[in-house]
Amino acid sequence: MANQSKSIDLAQLFQTVTGTLADNRQQLNDADDNNHDHGDNMVDTFEVITQAMREHRGADPADQLEYAAQMLRQRKSGSSQMYANGLEEASREFQGQQVTPANAMTLIQSLLGGGQAPQPQQQAGGIGGVLGSLLGGGQQPQQQGGGIGGVLGSLLGGGQQGQQGQQGQDGLDLGDLLQAGMAFMSTKQRGGGNLEAIVNAVVASSAMGGGYRQQSSNLVASTMMQAIQGMFR
C-alpha cells in the first residue's frame, strides 16, 4: 500500500506528463481543427512547468506552483494561459501543505480547472476523497449524497447512486454530476477500466472538457494518476 502522506516530487511528475504529451504531439496537433498546433503548445506548456519545478526544487509546493504559473504567463498560447490559471489555483489550495497521494486529486482538479476552485478534498461526497484513496492505494471511502464522488463511488461499488436532486456540498450542480456520470458509464460500456472511466469523468466536469483540449486533458490526468501510483509502489 502506498504511503499517502509521502510528498510527491513535482518535477518528476510533470516531466512524466511532458513525455506523454511529446509522444502524442502529432495526434494532438491533428485534433486541433483551428491552428493544428495544440500538441506543440501542450508540450511547450509542460516543459515550462517542469523547468519551473526543477528551478524551485526544495521550495514549498505552493511556491513552486506559483512560480510555474508566472513562467507560463510569458507564453502566448491559450493552453498555457489556462494552465497558468490552474497552477495559480493549485498554489492557493496547497498553501502550507505538501502534495501527497492523499490530496493529489486537488492538484489535478486545480490544474484542469482553468482557475476554478476544485471540490473540497475532505468531504465524503467529493471526488478528491475517492480518487485520493485510489491514488494512495487505500480503501475507497464511503460515499454519501451528492457530488461526483457520490456518483463514482456508487458506480465503482456497484451500488445505488445517491440522491442527486440538488447541488452537492462540493459545489457541483446536477448538470456537472450527470455529465461526469455519463462519461463514466460511456467508458465502462466501451469496455474501459475504472481508471480510464474516472479520468473521463474528471475531465468531462472540468474547464478542459470540450473540443480538442479534452484529448490532451485526458492524457494529462491519466498520466499524473499513473505516475503517482508508480512513485509509491
Side-chain angles (χ1 to χ4, degrees):
M1 183 181 297
N3 185 349
Q4 294 196 39
S5 63
K6 187 173 181 179
S7 298
I8 292 171
D9 184 333
L10 293 181
Q12 180 183 347
L13 177 63
F14 284 111
Q15 178 60 58
T16 302
V17 177
T18 302
T20 297
L21 292 171
D23 290 341
N24 291 272
R25 181 198 298 257
Q26 189 58 54
Q27 183 179 356
L28 295 174
N29 282 339
D30 293 342
D32 180 1
D33 294 330
N34 296 325
N35 300 313
H36 305 287
D37 61 357
H38 182 58
D40 296 333
N41 291 334
M42 286 296 294
V43 172
D44 178 70
T45 293
F46 277 83
E47 284 179 344
V48 170
I49 296 173
T50 301
Q51 183 60 33
M53 297 300 164
R54 286 174 175 164
E55 291 179 5
H56 278 56
R57 184 172 255 147
D60 290 338
D63 293 336
Q64 288 181 288
L65 295 164
E66 176 59 31
Y67 179 66
Q70 293 175 6
M71 296 292 289
L72 280 185
R73 291 296 181 202
Q74 302 174 26
R75 293 298 200 264
K76 296 181 179 179
S77 74
S79 296
S80 290
Q81 298 309 307
M82 290 187 74
Y83 278 98
N85 292 338
L87 286 164
E88 286 183 346
E89 179 58 39
S91 176
R92 288 189 287 269
E93 292 292 329
F94 283 95
Q95 287 290 333
Q97 60 179 314
Q98 297 295 310
V99 181
T100 69
N103 62 18
M105 272 311 301
T106 296
L107 174 61
I108 297 173
Q109 287 181 277
S110 296
L111 198 64
L112 299 181
Q116 300 175 5
Q119 303 155 44
Q121 182 78 11
Q122 300 300 326
Q123 292 180 6
I127 191 171
V130 182
L131 302 186
S133 178
L134 292 176
L135 290 174
Q139 296 293 322
Q140 178 184 325
Q142 294 181 347
Q143 306 301 323
Q144 299 177 2
I148 294 181
V151 178
L152 298 186
S154 178
L155 293 172
L156 285 169
Q160 296 293 321
Q161 178 176 324
Q163 294 181 351
Q164 304 295 335
Q166 58 185 0
Q167 186 175 15
Q169 288 183 336
D170 53 18
L172 296 177
D173 60 25
L174 182 58
D176 294 321
L177 299 177
L178 290 175
Q179 187 176 23
M182 289 174 64
F184 185 97
M185 290 302 297
S186 176
T187 305
K188 295 298 291 182
Q189 289 170 358
R190 289 189 287 102
N194 280 342
L195 178 60
E196 180 187 358
I198 291 169
V199 168
N200 287 342
V202 171
V203 173
S205 62
S206 76
M208 311 283 194
Y212 56 82
R213 285 196 173 93
Q214 182 170 356
Q215 186 174 348
S216 61
S217 299
N218 280 343
L219 288 173
V220 170
S222 62
T223 301
M224 291 181 75
M225 291 182 190
Q226 291 170 351
I228 292 167
Q229 288 178 320
M231 286 178 186
F232 300 102
R233 283 177 180 170

